Amino acid sequence: MLLFTPGPTPVPESVRLAMAEPTLHHRTPEFEAIFKETRELLFNLMATDEVIMLASSGTGAMEAAVTNLCHKTLLSINSGKFGERFGKIALASGLENIEIKHDWDTPVTVEEVIETVKANPSIDAIAIQISESAGGLRHPVEDIAAAVKEINPSIMVIADGITAVGVERINVEYIDCLIAGSQKALMLPPGLSILGLSSAAIETIGAGKGYYLNLASEIKKQKQNTTAYTAATTLIIGLRSVLQEIEANGGMGLLYCNTARRAKATRFALEALGLHSYPSTPARSMTTIDDKDAKEIRDLLKNEFGVNVAGGQDHLKGKIFRINQMGLIEIHEMVWVVNAVELALAKLGRRDFDGTASRVFNEEYFKTILKKEEK
Ligand SMILES: *Cc1c(COP(=O)(O)O)cnc(C)c1O
């Protein structure tokens, strides 16, 4: 079975093997050396002033970011389940919350954010997904961050990059906190989250908030290559291995480039079958299709063609399917996925099978390689 859900994503074999080594004690020079190396690789990935690893799923990092960086009012952007979660975290933490809400196919605009920030001077932090995984859309986060800082540089910008870090290069110039998680773009099992912090964020954190998710205590310890509480040793060993594996496969630049080309080729191939791409601004992390037969297509993909793709949640249950684009993906596997979608449509009597999907995918994906070679 090919796992093509946008999280969890498949864990490369070399990474699984690295994590099969005997357990290390976390308070040892051996593990501290691994921690240091992983931190250095993470600085390269996140391009932020500080990086912190937490033994938690992605939501733990979202909560840590909100509680440590917001002291009054959080502006959250809800174009899906994960954006909605930021608002819930704020309310559960006793903070005020202002939300800009849209359908799950619609990103927020820079203008809406500017208007809301200007109208509500108590807003001291904004939280937004770079790629909102609920409907597979991309928010214009970098532009929003720049605009917010122009109004008030002390407003903290929290960007959830759980399905964006490792997918595309993110400009962190105006971002104070960039969040990543292990089981999506970083190709690891669940349980590790990462926060990239700006110097301004570190200042705002001060003595920190809370106990386990107190970022001040983690910053202090992690600068010394250790953690405040027991580190997720096996996942950190896995993370080092993933980042090394990406380097061995041509580095982040090539990964970003291949992901962009593959996501585009997949969308073109499915649109050539008459299918409709759901979000108005598709993220590169996944290809999201809305279709009246979404459930039937997913079932056929799984039961007849060995491909596991994700469905939708809440009101989009049975109405969309989502194909993962994150991680090191073998291109022949993606060709099979689009071909399997075409076979599923044929089985449903929607169109005759003529190989359109794989032809369009191959044309779109490989034309750039041939162009490069001609030069
Ligand atoms: C999966 C996901 C999360 C939540 O992460 P968990 O690891 O499930 O806690 C948050 N934001 C985005 C964009 C996600 O895709």
Side-chain angles (χ1 to χ4, degrees), residues 60-372:
M62 292 168 74
E63 178 161 341
V66 169
T67 55
N68 285 268
L69 291 171
C70 181
H71 301 126
K72 284 190 239 113
T73 305
L74 181 77
L75 171 61
S76 55
I77 309 302
N78 176 355
S79 290
K81 219 173 168 56
F82 298 106
E84 178 186 45
R85 188 169 298 176
F86 269 131
K88 288 184 171 172
I89 290 171
L91 294 177
S93 311
L95 298 162
E96 299 288 324
N97 177 229
I98 294 170
E99 184 180 78
I100 302 177
K101 192 171 177 181
H102 284 295
D103 281 342
W104 291 14
D105 60 351
T106 307
V108 72
T109 65
V110 179
E111 293 69 33
E112 284 174 289
V113 173
I114 290 177
E115 218 173 273
T116 310
V117 167
K118 283 187 173 161
N120 298 278
S122 73
I123 290 171
D124 60 342
I126 161 167
I128 182 168
Q129 274 59 41
I130 298 174
S131 150
E132 168 55 79
S133 317
L137 70 76
R138 176 69 156 90
H139 282 299
V141 173
E142 293 92 334
D143 294 344
I144 288 170
V148 165
K149 291 289 180 184
E150 211 176 295
I151 302 169
N152 179 354
S154 72
I155 295 176
M156 289 286 111
V157 177
I158 300 166
D160 170 358
I162 290 173
T163 52
V165 174
V167 170
E168 56 177 310
R169 196 177 305 284
I170 292 148
N171 177 0
V172 293
E173 192 175 355
Y174 301 107
I175 291 174
D176 294 294
C177 177
L178 177 64
I179 299 169
S182 54
Q183 81 275 22
K184 310 264 175 89
L186 296 178
M187 298 175 271
L188 287 165
L192 187 73
S193 65
I194 299 151
L195 297 113
L197 299 166
S198 69
S199 324
I202 295 169
E203 234 171 83
T204 304
I205 289 164
K209 270 275 167 64
Y211 188 78
Y212 185 68
L213 297 179
N214 185 310
L215 291 179
S217 37
E218 287 299 344
I219 291 167
K220 186 170 160 227
K221 289 290 181 181
Q222 297 197 20
K223 275 183 189 295
Q224 302 160 36
N225 300 312
T226 187
T227 47
Y229 312 104
T230 305
T233 47
T234 306
L235 287 168
I236 291 171
I237 288 167
L239 177 58
R240 179 181 66 159
S241 174
V242 158
L243 296 172
Q244 288 168 341
E245 180 77 19
I246 292 171
E247 282 313 309
N249 277 276
M252 295 312 302
L254 185 65
L255 174 62
Y256 297 150
C257 173
N258 286 344
T259 305
R261 288 166 55 213
R262 192 181 55 243
K264 190 173 171 199
T266 305
R267 183 160 54 82
F268 280 22
L270 299 184
E271 285 174 349
L273 299 176
L275 293 173
H276 178 252
S277 168
Y278 173 69
S280 62
T281 52
R284 294 175 185 174
S285 53
M286 66 196 74
T287 307
T288 305
I289 298 293
D290 58 316
D291 194 275
K292 65 177 175 50
D293 297 326
K295 187 189 178 305
E296 289 71 18
I297 293 170
R298 257 187 89 205
D299 288 347
L300 282 166
L301 288 177
K302 186 167 181 186
N303 300 327
E304 308 235 354
F305 306 115
V307 179
N308 190 357
V309 303
Q313 294 163 293
D314 296 356
H315 65 288
L316 289 185
K317 199 163 192 268
K319 300 210 167 106
I320 60 166
F321 63 92
R322 295 174 295 155
I323 301 172
N324 176 50
Q325 299 290 352
M326 296 177 277
L328 293 160
I329 293 175
E330 296 287 352
I331 205 65
H332 62 267
E333 291 188 353
M334 192 54 84
V335 177
W336 171 248
V337 172
V338 297
N339 187 60
V341 173
E342 183 172 352
L343 288 168
L345 292 180
K347 283 240 169 200
L348 290 169
R350 297 250 307 249
R351 68 190 302 287
D352 290 335
F353 180 83
D354 60 5
T356 293
S358 46
R359 180 179 56 76
V360 171
F361 182 94
N362 283 320
E363 278 173 3
E364 182 57 37
Y365 188 83
F366 289 106
K367 75 179 181 199
T368 41
I369 289 190
L370 293 174
K371 265 192 206 137
K372 253 183 234 151

